[in-house]
Amino acid sequence: MRLEAITWDRLAELLADRLVGLEPADGSAWSRVGFDGAPAARPGDLAERVAEALRVRGRPSLVVGAEGFLRPASLRLEHGRRDVESYYSGWFDTNALWREVFGPLDPGGDGRVLPDLWDPATDRATRSSYVQLPPGGILLLHGPLLLRHWFPFDLTVHLLLSPGALRRRTPEADHWTLPAFERYEAETDPAATADVLVRADDPRHPAWNG
């Protein structure tokens, strides 16, 4: 696949332009966009840039991080702190994401989204207030391993790191998670599955498939 060099700011502008005209496939009043990538690829940074570009265009959006929907430590770490299978299949509370984030944005929903649920630092509920996303607003959900859950995204963006870049940019303490991303590549092939592909090996010089 041919990729073109681009700046992060220009990428955010072009994505925002695309999202302004995006029609939800299921007739919902809200578009839902996924920014998928390992933590080392920093998909949340791109989601925030796109949110700012949408704000300038007069379109409301809400950035939600999957890391705000981790399961409690008693469940997440049941098989140890470095269990790859648990990280791949059990760290994130996908049921809560369906219920608190996607459900309110279904056709006929009320648009009241919970921006986060669980604080991993305190291992307690965040008690955050619901956020009202008005009709025409856009959900920007970011996090790892998103494309394996069949979330109802209207557009998906995958931030790709080569195996070498992923290892270099992942803190050594988190290298135990790398096999989970290898499995994700093999089973889901996010680079081919996503609507938009961004190569982020060099954080200063991204490239995308336009």
Side-chain angles (χ1 to χ4, degrees):
M1 180 181 297
R2 184 170 181 270
L3 300 177
E4 300 177 357
I6 195 169
T7 66
W8 291 111
D9 287 340
R10 179 61 176 159
L11 175 59
E13 295 287 334
L14 292 175
L15 287 175
D17 286 342
R18 183 168 178 177
L19 296 182
V20 165
L22 183 65
E23 293 290 338
D26 60 2
S28 172
W30 304 271
S31 298
R32 294 139 299 191
V33 182
F35 292 83
D36 174 63
R42 305 184 67 85
D45 289 358
L46 180 56
E48 292 286 358
R49 287 176 184 266
V50 172
E52 176 58 21
L54 287 169
R55 185 192 66 78
V56 172
R57 289 160 174 76
R59 288 295 294 273
S61 65
L62 176 64
V63 178
V64 175
E67 69 273 8
F69 288 83
L70 291 176
R71 300 173 76 201
S74 59
L75 300 175
R76 198 170 71 248
L77 308 178
E78 181 179 4
H79 301 289
R81 293 183 175 274
R82 297 190 172 192
D83 186 79
V84 176
E85 177 61 34
S86 293
Y87 181 76
Y88 190 73
S89 302
W91 270 47
F92 296 92
D93 192 341
T94 54
N95 288 333
L97 282 167
W98 279 104
R99 182 181 67 250
E100 303 290 359
V101 177
F102 290 104
L105 304 182
D106 282 342
D110 61 11
R112 294 180 69 249
V113 175
L114 189 66
D116 52 58
L117 178 64
W118 201 259
D119 184 346
T122 62
D123 199 34
R124 296 176 182 272
T126 59
R127 301 187 184 280
S128 295
S129 299
Y130 285 86
V131 176
Q132 185 71 52
L133 189 61
I138 302 174
L139 169 71
L140 307 173
L141 176 68
H142 63 86
L145 313 174
L146 292 181
L147 303 186
R148 60 181 297 267
H149 297 298
W150 300 98
F151 291 136
F153 292 123
D154 299 295
L155 185 81
T156 53
V157 181
H158 176 63
L159 280 76
L160 174 67
L161 293 176
S162 67
L166 177 61
R167 177 169 289 275
R168 287 194 306 273
R169 294 178 57 186
T170 298
E172 187 172 352
D174 294 329
H175 277 190
W176 66 271
T177 65
L178 298 181
F181 293 104
E182 293 175 10
R183 178 178 171 185
Y184 183 53
E185 292 286 339
E187 295 184 353
T188 305
D189 194 5
T193 302
D195 299 303
V196 177
L197 178 64
V198 180
R199 180 174 286 279
D201 284 2
D202 184 341
R204 300 165 299 176
H205 303 293
W208 78 316
N209 62 353

